[in-house]
């Protein structure tokens, strides 16, 4: 006899439904390091002494640290929350999630963009999701978050919201 499925897996709210890091592609790393090396060569220009090694010792690690910092953002759905870096959105406030391709993202963030929207956009990532909010206490109408897998992220957020709706309101909140 096998144990029941409920004892094998953690509850739905505790599982990580989606996780992604918005890191830079390899070709941007290569371009950044080449640019830093060219700048170091320009500063060096055949000089001797400290000027022969200091530009390389400073600029290459700075370029690598800067590119790592640009790709540090993590996006995920876990514990009934959409997590984008250090921002948290409880899925109970999600009205809808719309996967966007590059053209859709450009339209949402273009000339008619809402200035109150929460945006985490990375230009090297083509896709995004628009998370429409339903929270009367929050002036933010929606979130726009870059992602390499917009359909999967949208499905994860909606699945977490629907699971939360089926299990009822959190303790201490009116139903």
């Amino acid at each position: 006899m096998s144990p029941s499925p409920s004892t094998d897996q953690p509850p739905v709210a505790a599982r990580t439904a989606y996780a992604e890091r918005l890191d830079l592609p390899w070709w941007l790393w290569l371009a950044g390091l080449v640019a830093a090396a060219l700048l170091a060569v320009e500063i060096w220009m055949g000089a001797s002494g400290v000027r022969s090694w200091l530009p390389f010792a400073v600029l290459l690690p700075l370029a690598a640290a800067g590119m790592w910092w640009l790709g540090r953002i993590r996006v995920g759905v876990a514990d009934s929350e959409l997590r984008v870096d250090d921002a948290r959105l409880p899925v109970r406030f999600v009205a809808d999630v719309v996967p966007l391709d590059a053209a859709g993202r450009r339209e949402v963030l273009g000339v008619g963009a809402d200035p109150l929207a929460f945006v985490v956009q990375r230009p090297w990532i083509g896709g995004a999701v628009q998370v429409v909010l339903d929270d009367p206490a929050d002036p933010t109408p929606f979130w726009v978050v870059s992602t390499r897998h917009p359909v999967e992220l949208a499905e994860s957020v909606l699945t977490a919201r629907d699971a939360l709706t089926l299990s009822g309101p959190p303790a201490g909140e009116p139903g």
Side-chain angles (χ1 to χ4, degrees), residues 4 94 164:
S4 69
V94 173
L164 189 65

Side-chain angles (χ1 to χ4, degrees), residues 108-109 112-114 116-119 130-133 139-144:
V108 169
L109 299 177
D114 192 321
L116 296 177
F118 175 80
V119 178
Q130 180 182 20
V131 181
V132 182
L133 303 183
T140 306
F142 57 86
W143 285 22
V144 177

Side-chain angles (χ1 to χ4, degrees), residues 80-96:
S80 300
E81 290 181 325
L82 171 61
R83 299 175 180 188
V84 181
D85 198 19
D86 59 350
R88 305 281 189 261
L89 175 65
V91 294
R92 70 179 180 269
F93 296 121
V94 173
D96 195 16

Side-chain angles (χ1 to χ4, degrees), residues 52-67:
S52 65
W53 61 268
L54 188 62
F56 297 96
V58 171
L59 292 175
L60 290 175
L62 275 177
M67 289 183 292

Side-chain angles (χ1 to χ4, degrees), residues 16-27:
T16 299
Y18 183 87
E20 175 183 14
R21 185 168 175 221
L22 304 180
D23 52 353
L24 277 74
W26 69 268
W27 55 269

Side-chain angles (χ1 to χ4, degrees), residues 12-13 79-81 89-94 156-171 173:
V12 173
D79 300 329
S80 300
E81 290 181 325
L89 175 65
V91 294
R92 70 179 180 269
F93 296 121
V94 173
S156 295
V157 172
L158 292 174
T159 301
R161 181 200 63 189
D162 294 344
L164 189 65
T165 303
L166 292 176
S167 67
E173 287 193 18

